[in-house]
Amino acid sequence: TQAYGAGSEVSVGLLSWVFAALGVGITYCLGARLGGRKAGLIGAAALTAAPIFADQAGTPSIDLVFACVVLASTAAVVAWRQDGGAVWLILAGVLAGSACGVRHTGYLTAMLLFAGVVLSAGSGRKQWAPVFACAVIAGAAPWLLRSWLLVGNPVYPFFASVFGSWGEFDADVASLATHD
């Protein structure tokens, strides 16, 4: 917080709580779409009651942001399946692509949602898979560009032997199951 100034601790903490509220709201919406109002309330209550949720809500971190983006992307795919319309699918793709900029597991999320789009091929929906893929690329593009400009590898720390890198880093983030 010293790098950002005295008031930044309050604003970052507030932002964490905003994402917590957003996550609860998205969980309710997703549950309500899938199983009705009661399912939405149970889902939101289950999320709120989880001890890790309270810990993350009160602490600045990327985990809660990632959860919100993934939940929103999933909810948009469900809305697309139920209502149709390209807007939901494009929103889902952009959010899934944005998740790649928050955590590397966003790539896995995007691939799983893509598989869901492909497998929900009822009434000629397979044609929408390329639309979703393009939206994912559009959502991920700013983050891939940022990584490429900073270290010379758009998917850093992956594929370092292919892309290389432009410098030394403080932590070995490419090692499996390590955490500073």
Side-chain angles (χ1 to χ4, degrees):
T1 56
Q2 290 176 340
Y4 299 112
S8 66
E9 187 173 307
V10 173
S11 61
V12 170
L14 178 63
L15 190 59
S16 296
W17 284 107
V18 167
F19 273 102
L22 188 61
V24 171
I26 295 168
T27 301
Y28 170 79
C29 291
L30 181 58
R33 270 202 174 268
L34 291 172
R37 183 176 184 270
K38 191 179 212 179
L41 290 172
I42 291 170
L47 177 65
T48 306
I52 189 81
F53 178 77
D55 179 59
Q56 291 296 310
T59 306
S61 74
I62 63 172
D63 297 323
L64 198 53
V65 174
F66 181 73
C68 286
V69 174
V70 168
L71 278 169
S73 181
T74 304
V77 168
V78 169
W80 168 73
R81 285 197 46 158
Q82 292 176 346
D83 301 343
V87 173
W88 285 118
L89 190 64
I90 292 169
L91 177 63
V94 169
L95 288 169
S98 296
C100 299
V102 179
R103 282 203 162 278
H104 290 104
T105 47
Y107 294 110
L108 177 61
T109 299
M111 287 188 292
L112 290 172
L113 287 173
F114 179 77
V117 169
V118 169
L119 293 175
S120 67
S123 65
R125 286 198 172 168
K126 275 190 182 179
Q127 68 194 21
W128 291 103
V131 173
F132 181 78
C134 288
V136 168
I137 292 167
W143 307 110
L144 297 171
L145 179 63
R146 177 186 178 274
S147 291
W148 179 71
L149 291 173
L150 288 176
V151 297
N153 180 350
V155 290
Y156 178 82
F158 304 113
F159 306 114
S161 61
V162 175
F163 293 105
S165 65
W166 293 340
E168 297 295 320
F169 303 98
D170 293 336
D172 184 13
V173 295
S175 296
L176 185 62
T178 62
H179 206 280
D180 284 346

